[in-house]
Amino acid sequence: MEKAFFEGYEIGCAATTRGKVADYIPELAKSDPKAFGLCMLDATGEPLTFGEADTRFSIQSICKVIILAAALKLRGFDETFSHVMMEPSGDAFNSILKLDTRSNLPFNPMINAGAIETASLLLPELSFEDMLDYARMLCLDPTISLNEAVYNSEAQTGYRNRAIAYLLKSKGVMSADPERTLNLYFRLCSLAVSARSLAGLGLVLANDGVHPFNGKTLIAPEHVRTIQSIMFTCGMYDYSGKYSVKVGVPSKSGVGGGIVCAAKGPMGIGLYGPALDAFGNSSGAVKAMVHISQALGLHVFSY
Ligand code: GLN
């Protein structure tokens, strides 16, 4: 098992040269394109780490998983999915196209429009601080904090996300205030996590929502199934289909370079490599996961 992760790490390091760090959020352009690390955590509690497993980076779109978990808990399944659908969009994560032309509801909670709408459901009951505590709990990492520089950078330049929020408001889909919603969304995208924290989140999901070390239920099992299904079909933007065929592990990526994977075992795998491919997924982390999944038979449909 260790060998498969080490080989995945080496393959991931080599693939970093094929990607480019995100620069549409100016602060992200400062990331080191060669950085790469991964962490695997299972119920033994002994993490397996390679490379930059403890480097902090912004969680970005991976917070969409945490937002969905919170919305399901606060509003329940029916209300949540009366605001957002659960269909893959096949479009880029920040696309506005189908939202205006094909449907009023965003296609799914893993693209920006869907996550912004889902975040609006958390207001006014949940504050950023409540969500920070929730993220720390789900990632088994009490040291997660807000990266203010990333938050400011994103809040100042997030014109497309503003357009999405105001479009949702104009259609009457969003009830909450769009500025307050965006503020919460931008802050949650700016949480500073590590590959180790993502491995914690992956393990909680893979363990049916149960804390692997104290047995407490952190996410209701029926919600975990919903979240993992949507990660499987929509978690890797418009590469989700191919990723599901090649890797077959419920995963979610972010433009900060992270990927969280909830794998059989149960195992949580967190990866970090800020050099991104054309879809906005970490080049190194995708290649690493193709290898690790094949080497260990982690595809959900391999028996
Ligand atoms: N904060 C980013 C955005 O809204 C998140 C996108 C991502 O990670 N794909 O553009």
Side-chain angles (χ1 to χ4, degrees):
M1 164 129 100
E2 207 166 322
K3 181 167 170 277
F5 280 100
F6 178 63
E7 286 167 357
Y9 167 69
E10 288 199 316
I11 290 167
C13 285
T16 58
T17 55
R18 299 203 209 158
K20 266 184 61 199
V21 301
D23 56 8
Y24 77 99
I25 299 171
E27 196 62 25
L28 295 186
K30 296 180 182 166
S31 316
D32 173 8
K34 290 197 202 64
F36 192 72
L38 66 83
C39 175
M40 187 283 284
L41 186 65
D42 62 15
T44 64
E46 291 296 329
L48 196 57
T49 60
F50 294 102
E52 300 203 23
D54 289 306
T55 300
R56 294 274 160 182
F57 56 92
S58 55
I59 190 168
Q60 295 299 334
S61 276
I62 300 167
C63 75
K64 292 166 179 167
V65 172
I66 297 169
I67 292 172
L68 177 58
L72 287 168
K73 185 172 178 190
L74 182 68
R75 306 286 177 209
F77 183 93
D78 291 344
E79 190 177 345
T80 299
F81 290 104
S82 68
H83 285 260
V84 60
M85 300 189 289
M86 45 185 112
E87 297 302 333
S89 72
D91 289 330
F93 64 87
N94 57 3
S95 179
I96 216 160
L97 211 68
K98 283 185 185 147
L99 182 61
D100 201 26
T101 56
R102 286 268 311 275
S103 74
N104 284 335
L105 301 190
F107 266 62
N108 68 73
M110 299 290 128
I111 53 171
N112 288 16
I116 291 170
E117 180 60 25
T118 310
S120 79
L121 300 178
L122 307 179
L123 298 171
E125 280 87 346
L126 296 177
S127 64
F128 168 70
E129 282 68 31
D130 295 328
M131 286 301 291
L132 175 60
D133 285 345
Y134 190 58
R136 287 172 170 165
M137 183 178 80
L138 294 188
C139 295
L140 312 177
D141 178 0
T143 66
I144 292 175
S145 60
L146 174 70
N147 182 328
E148 296 269 356
V150 172
Y151 163 66
N152 288 326
S153 187
E154 186 151 358
Q156 280 159 19
T157 59
Y159 303 115
R160 183 173 272 269
N161 287 327
R162 277 207 172 77
I164 290 172
Y166 280 90
L167 184 58
L168 288 165
K169 187 74 187 171
S170 79
K171 286 169 175 282
V173 173
M174 184 184 285
S175 330
D177 175 59
E179 283 304 323
R180 288 194 57 203
T181 300
L182 286 162
N183 193 280
L184 178 63
Y185 172 73
F186 289 146
R187 281 177 191 271
L188 292 174
C189 287
S190 307
L191 294 181
V193 294
S194 62
R196 193 187 290 263
S197 349
L198 296 181
L201 175 60
L203 179 57
V204 169
L205 292 167
N207 200 37
D208 223 13
V210 175
H211 191 299
F213 311 127
N214 68 17
K216 263 178 66 178
T217 295
L218 304 183
I219 309 175
E222 66 272 23
H223 294 164
V224 175
R225 257 189 307 282
T226 301
I227 295 164
Q228 294 209 60
S229 302
I230 296 178
M231 287 167 72
F232 195 79
T233 51
C234 311
M236 304 296 286
Y237 315 129
D238 38 339
Y239 188 68
S240 297
K242 197 160 181 184
Y243 182 89
S244 290
V245 170
K246 290 180 88 158
V247 178
V249 175
S251 302
K252 179 75 200 90
S253 62
V255 291
I259 298 188
V260 59
C261 309
K264 282 181 197 170
M267 235 191 281
I269 307 170
L271 305 100
Y272 168 58
L276 308 179
D277 61 22
F279 302 98
N281 297 317
S282 168
S283 309
V286 168
K287 288 271 180 297
M289 277 309 296
V290 170
H291 177 78
I292 292 166
S293 176
Q294 283 171 2
L296 298 177
L298 298 182
H299 197 293
V300 292
F301 301 124
S302 74
Y303 302 102

